[in-house]
Amino acid sequence: AKASGRNSVHFFESSMQVAVEARFDLEGELRHAVDREQLRLFLQPQVDAAGHIVGAEALLRWQHPSKGLISPAVFIPLAEETGLIVPVGQWVLNQACQILAGIAGRGQSLRISVNVSPRQFRQADFVASVREVLARTGVAPACLVLEITEGLVIEDLQHTIDKMHELKACGVRLSLDDFGTGYSSLTYLKRMPIDELKIDRSFVRDAPVNDNDAALVEVMLSVSRHFHLEVVAEGVETLDQLNFLKAHGCRCFQGYLLGRPMPAETFLSLMDDGSDQ
Ligand code: C2E
Ligand code: CA
Ligand code: CA
Ligand code: CA
């Protein structure tokens, strides 16, 4: 465990030093994090080729009273194992829709992408809960993007595809996250009702300098054109990466170069500052 000063931001390290006992502590505390209002939703901008913000990915943070800001890389796997991901994921969905409703109320429009964990997706009432939050907040379903990881898809392909169709029937958009990192075959793409692919940052990183990564990114972009899928390249940190992606037809970018994940309020004021009309 790592203490942090009031104003400093420390990411709790996911390392061997996270002892078993620390894990039990966290598990117990995570149970209360929702009730105690310790979860924060950060937003990271998604930007088009002209530099306009077209969307944002919602990224969860845990504002722990003594440990500071804890990264989802630490507590999401724990939440997934213990089943706490279900209430946590529901909180995220609700929060994202509240933000979308606020944005619509100001006459603006934007998409927010929400990460859906495999366990959350497999809940029997997941589709119903999506429908419920959309109805309650009055958000235009097309503004909500659900990011589903590639890993989920192969575990139970037909069931996953059926559920994807139910979600599409609600009007939400579906995005395949971490594309290319798993073992799924490209042929699954034609069976899945998805709208978007996210190119994982492990490919983006060296694409400008490594022939193999460059070829993989080109294949992903070309496949997505063929299937009429939108593409978001993630982990864009340098101008070289951005220019490479643009040169190969990518139209939407996410990464530290374009903007870091930030508190929702900060993101919203950025939108106001950058608004064209
Ligand atoms: P992800 O879905 O692949 O999210 C992208 C991660 O890359 C985020 O890490 C983001 O902060 C980071 N990132 C963005 N741009 C850059 C960049 O230019 N360079 C580098 N090095 N990193 C960049 P984060 O926020 O720590 O989240 C980690 C993972 O935790 C996410 O990976 C996602 O799998 C999971 N996660 C986050 N929020 C949620 C949530 O609400 N629900 C669920 N189920 N999972 C979540
Ligand atoms: Ca994601
Ligand atoms: Ca991702
Ligand atoms: Ca990733």
Side-chain angles (χ1 to χ4, degrees):
K2 226 180 192 181
S4 98
R6 221 164 192 274
N7 299 311
S8 61
V9 172
H10 282 298
F11 285 100
F12 189 60
E13 279 166 9
S14 170
S15 68
M16 299 309 282
Q17 278 134 30
V18 178
V20 176
E21 59 193 54
R23 207 196 108 104
F24 281 125
D25 282 356
L26 270 193
E27 184 179 331
E29 293 178 279
L30 186 55
R31 278 182 200 285
H32 299 292
V34 178
D35 303 341
R36 294 178 186 162
E37 301 187 358
Q38 292 169 356
L39 298 181
R40 305 278 178 269
L41 204 59
F42 275 33
L43 294 175
Q44 184 177 32
Q46 296 177 332
V47 167
D48 70 12
H52 296 123
I53 296 177
V54 292
E57 179 173 3
L59 293 161
L60 194 55
R61 301 288 181 265
W62 177 7
Q63 183 68 60
H64 189 279
S66 62
K67 297 188 180 85
L69 214 49
I70 304 182
S71 160
V74 173
F75 68 87
I76 292 287
L78 186 62
E80 179 79 15
E81 263 175 62
T82 55
L84 285 170
I85 194 67
V86 176
V88 167
Q90 197 52 42
W91 181 88
V92 171
L93 206 51
N94 187 58
Q95 236 10 58
C97 285
Q98 303 281 359
I99 295 169
L100 279 172
I103 291 171
R106 304 191 304 179
Q108 294 169 315
S109 150
L110 194 86
R111 283 179 194 158
I112 294 185
S113 299
V114 168
N115 291 287
V116 177
S117 88
R119 188 151 177 181
Q120 188 187 2
F121 184 90
R122 287 196 200 97
Q123 292 292 305
D125 61 356
F126 178 63
V127 179
S129 72
V130 170
R131 233 182 254 126
E132 187 276 326
V133 72
L134 287 170
R136 178 162 42 78
T137 55
V139 161
C143 291
L144 182 65
V145 184
L146 300 180
E147 292 193 5
I148 289 155
T149 62
E150 202 189 21
L152 173 76
V153 175
I154 38 171
E155 275 175 45
D156 189 353
L157 186 63
Q158 195 51 52
H159 181 253
T160 302
I161 289 175
D162 291 346
K163 213 159 200 178
M164 284 177 157
H165 280 290
E166 288 177 48
L167 288 164
K168 285 306 299 169
C170 301
V172 300
R173 299 173 61 84
L174 298 179
S175 175
L176 194 58
D177 201 2
D178 301 332
F179 184 65
T181 60
Y183 300 95
S184 84
S185 155
L186 284 175
T187 62
Y188 293 162
L189 279 183
K190 71 175 177 195
R191 294 182 52 194
M192 293 188 297
I194 53 170
D195 304 284
E196 176 188 286
L197 292 181
K198 295 195 80 171
I199 299 182
D200 193 72
R201 76 164 178 272
S202 59
F203 302 107
V204 169
R205 188 176 51 227
D206 294 329
V209 293
N210 179 300
D211 285 350
N212 293 332
D213 288 329
L216 287 170
V217 169
E218 286 177 51
V219 165
M220 291 185 224
L221 286 166
S222 129
V223 163
S224 62
R225 264 192 299 278
H226 182 84
F227 288 106
H228 305 290
L229 300 172
E230 288 183 29
V231 177
V232 180
E234 62 174 31
V236 181
E237 295 180 349
T238 68
L239 262 178
D240 280 350
Q241 292 164 345
L242 182 67
N243 289 332
F244 174 91
L245 290 160
K246 279 184 179 172
H248 292 88
C250 190
R251 294 278 164 269
C252 188
F253 315 92
Q254 183 183 340
Y256 295 166
L257 181 70
L258 297 322
R260 296 206 168 229
M262 59 189 96
E265 313 80 66
T266 313
F267 179 87
L268 293 174
S269 58
L270 198 76
M271 267 184 80
D272 287 339
D273 296 345
S275 70
D276 308 304
Q277 42 252 336

